[in-house]
Amino acid sequence: MLSLLLGLTLAFADESKVEVELSDTVSGRKVRSIDMPDGQTQLVQYEDAKTGQYPKRIYDGARWLQMSVDFVWSCWQVMNHLYLRDYKGLHGVLQKVKQDYPDSGVAPVGRALMWQVLMLENFDFKYEMQYKNSFDTAVQDLQRASVQAGNDAWENFLMGAILGVDAIHELRKEDFLDAINQGYEAMKFIEIAKNKAQFFVDSQLGDGLWLYWRSLIASNVPGVPLFTDERAKGIEMMQLAERESVFLRPAASHALVYTWIEERKMKTALMTAQHLQDAYPNNVINLQVLGRVQMYQKQYKKAEKSFQRVLLLSPKNERSHFYLARLYMRMKEYPKAESHIDTYLSFDLSDYHKGYGQYFKGHIHYRQKQYRKAKTSYDNAWNTNKVKGSKERSQQADKKIAAGK
C-alpha cells in the first residue's frame, strides 16, 4: 500500500535549480552515487500466470497472510485501480469491499490512497481535508479490527502502510522531524507484520524505502540525525518487492524510478518508467516522471508526447504545463515555454509553487534577452515566496539593463 512513494522525490525537488540537469533530486549531487551498472535492470512481470481463478501470487498471499483468497483478490483490486488510474472503477470496488468486509479497514485505506494520488498528480494539497478524514477513519477501523482475532499480519501491515503514507505526506510539507517520527511508528507495525507473515514479501518495500530515504535525507537535511548509509540494502529490498510481492510490484517499480534518478542511473530509470507506462498507460504520475527522464536524456519529442498525454488524461493538470515550459526552454522554443509557464501561473497555486513559476518565467525572459521582463519575474518570485537565487538573478538583469542591453 505504499504506492504513494512515487511522488517522494518530486516533493523535494529544488526548483531554484530548474535549469540544471538532474536537479530534481533530494541529494542535489551532495551524496556519492552507489556503484551500480546503469541500464541493466531486470524488467519484472506485474501479472503472473493463473493457477485457478486467480493469479498465483493471490494464492501465495492468502497462504502467507492466512486470509481468504477472495479477500486478498479484493485488496488487489483496490491497488490495481489506483495503478490504472481508474477512479470511477475504484469507487465501485471500495463500495463492494466496504459491503463485503466492513470491519477490515481496507475501504478507508484505499480512499486515503486515492486522495493522496490525486494530490501527487499536481504536487499540491488540495484534497487535504478529504485525505485526513479518510486517514483518521482508516486508523480507527484498523485499531478496532486489531482487537479481534485473525488477519493480524495484514492489519499490522495496513497500519504500517497508511502511517508510512502519512509520513510521506508530512515530508512533502517539509515537516521532516514529524515525518521521521511517523516513519518510525510505521516501521513498528511493519516489523510486527513481518514476524507474523515471514514470507509476505510486500513488507520488504516499506523496509527498503525506509532504509534508502532515511539514509539520503539524513545526509542532506539539517537537523535530521545521521544514519549509516544503507541505500544499497534499501534498493535490494525494493527490488525483491518488485519481483515477488503480492500487491506492490508496480509500486516498487515506481519507487525505484525515483531511486534511479537519485543515483544518476538515468538509463535504468528510463527503462523502468517505460516498462510501467507499457503496463499502466494512463498512470499520470508515472507519465510525468517518464517525461522528465526523457527530457534529461534529451529525448525531447518523446518527453513532449508524455507530458501532452498527461493533459489528455487530466486536462486540468497543472504540473505538466510547468514541465512543458522546462522542456520547450531546453528546446529553445521560448514562445511555447512562455505560453505554458503563463498557463501554469494562471492556476490557483500555493505561494511556494507560484514563486518558483515566476522564477522560471524569469529564466525564459532572460534567455531571450528580455531583461526588464526577467527582472520583474525574478522580483515577483522573491516577493511571493523569497525564492532562493531570485534576488541575485534580479541583480544580474539590472546590470544588463544598465549596460543598455
Side-chain angles (χ1 to χ4, degrees), residues 228-239:
T228 303
D229 187 349
E230 297 184 281
R231 285 177 294 156
K233 185 176 179 181
I235 289 172
E236 184 180 336
M237 288 180 165
M238 286 187 261
Q239 288 177 313

Side-chain angles (χ1 to χ4, degrees), residues 102-127:
D103 300 319
S104 66
V106 172
V109 168
R111 194 159 278 108
L113 289 174
M114 179 189 71
W115 294 124
Q116 274 290 353
V117 170
L118 283 167
M119 288 190 286
L120 284 171
E121 287 185 355
N122 267 315
F123 311 133
D124 59 25
F125 299 96
K126 288 182 180 176
Y127 300 103

Side-chain angles (χ1 to χ4, degrees), residues 13-14 21 24 34 79 104 111 140 145 162 173 182 210 269 273 289 293 321 330 337 391 396 398:
D14 182 354
E21 202 155 298
D24 293 301
I34 294 173
M79 292 304 300
S104 66
R111 194 159 278 108
Q140 292 166 10
I162 196 63
K173 295 191 288 187
Q182 185 80 301
W210 174 244
V289 74
V293 178
H321 290 288
R330 285 171 181 259
K391 267 193 170 182
Q396 290 175 14
D398 261 334

Side-chain angles (χ1 to χ4, degrees), residues 2 50 69 77 108 118 130 137 227 315 317 328 378 392 397:
L2 287 172
K50 288 188 175 182
V69 175
Q77 286 299 303
L118 283 167
Q130 294 94 324
T137 301
F227 299 98
N317 186 277
Y328 287 130
Y378 289 135
E392 293 79 2

Side-chain angles (χ1 to χ4, degrees), residues 244-261:
E244 301 179 17
S245 66
V246 178
F247 304 105
L248 299 180
R249 295 182 191 184
S253 290
H254 276 300
L256 281 164
V257 172
Y258 296 110
T259 303
W260 300 136
I261 292 173

Side-chain angles (χ1 to χ4, degrees), residues 15 94 121 159 213 250 293 303 353:
E15 298 185 58
L94 291 175
E121 287 185 355
M159 182 67 87
W213 291 102
V293 178
H353 289 114

Side-chain angles (χ1 to χ4, degrees), residues 150-162:
N151 296 348
D152 291 352
W154 174 243
E155 289 159 3
N156 278 283
F157 175 74
L158 271 191
M159 182 67 87
I162 196 63

